[in-house]
Amino acid sequence: MNFFIEGLQGSGKSTLVNKIAKKYPDNTVFREGDYSPVDLAWCAYVTEEEYQALIDKYRDIRTMIEEKSHSENDHKIICYTQVITDIPGYHKDLEQYEIYNGRCAFSAFKNIVFSRYKKWNGNNMVFECALFQNIIEDMILYRDASDQEIMELYNELAQVLRDRDFRVLYLETDNIADSISVIRKERSDHNGNEMWFPLMLEYFDSSPYAQKRGVSGEEELLKHFAHRQELELRICSEAFPEKVSVLRSKKYSDRDL
């Protein structure tokens, strides 16, 4: 059995991943930034030519980059956030080669996502926010896609995955504002300075979705999260009706698992 752990930021996905990993110790866990057979979060997707240029540009850490690089057909995938370096601009530079946030044409984006899911035929894997979060954020915030367009994408993806053995465990958040408040405190430094939320807010405020509508700020971000959760639950019920278990965020028991 494979598991996709899904839900909004702050819903407790990492905790649930740990519980599932403990319950099924033979399963391999894939978190954001790992080299995953299906997801490319926090990974640079580059051509061989681009790869050679990058390792030449960052020759001082070439070996470190090579250790976190993987070949797929005519591309290289670099798990760049796993390269620990203080070289100025390195992470920002590599970030531009991610496939999300409208960085490539939709046809290319869809082809990359679908081709990797088509090739995936693994067992005993646990994926953290690989199925919904990054794809849906890209579609809503950077491609201004309608709910119906996103549903059509996932109905098509469901057909690709129809013979795969997996379960989606979706953590539904009852109070999104409270959940975000908790994660803001958890992801602060030892002096109480928030590390995650300002970046999340900047990510939302600067998106084409927010810019086009002239919206910004915490309240609008929470509205976006509420919309996203509603849409993700719809995808669960319509695209993957036999493969989803919806759990109440932080209120489920071990028996529910």
Side-chain angles (χ1 to χ4, degrees), residues 42-44 51 53-69 77-98:
W42 302 110
C43 292
Y51 182 74
L54 285 169
I55 60 176
D56 181 59
K57 181 177 181 179
Y58 297 104
R59 60 177 62 89
D60 290 347
I61 55 171
R62 174 173 181 153
T63 300
M64 297 170 65
I65 295 174
E66 290 174 337
E67 289 175 350
K68 297 299 181 181
S69 300
I77 294 173
I78 310 171
C79 303
Y80 71 92
T81 59
Q82 296 184 355
V83 176
I84 309 303
T85 178
D86 57 2
I87 293 178
Y90 163 79
H91 291 96
K92 199 68 177 176
D93 192 4
L94 273 287
E95 181 184 22
Q96 68 179 309
Y97 295 100
E98 290 190 35

Side-chain angles (χ1 to χ4, degrees), residues 210-256:
Q211 295 279 314
K212 178 180 178 179
R213 290 160 177 79
V215 298
S216 62
E218 182 177 344
E219 183 177 345
E220 292 296 333
L221 175 61
L222 293 176
K223 288 180 182 178
H224 163 65
F225 282 148
H227 169 226
R228 206 188 94 198
Q229 178 171 260
E230 180 181 353
L231 177 58
E232 290 175 351
L233 288 169
R234 180 185 170 193
I235 293 169
C236 286
S237 63
E238 295 184 21
F240 306 105
E242 305 300 324
K243 294 181 178 290
V244 175
S245 294
V246 178
L247 306 173
R248 294 182 67 195
S249 172
K250 303 175 185 176
K251 296 180 181 179
Y252 60 88
S253 68
D254 289 342
R255 290 186 62 185
D256 294 323

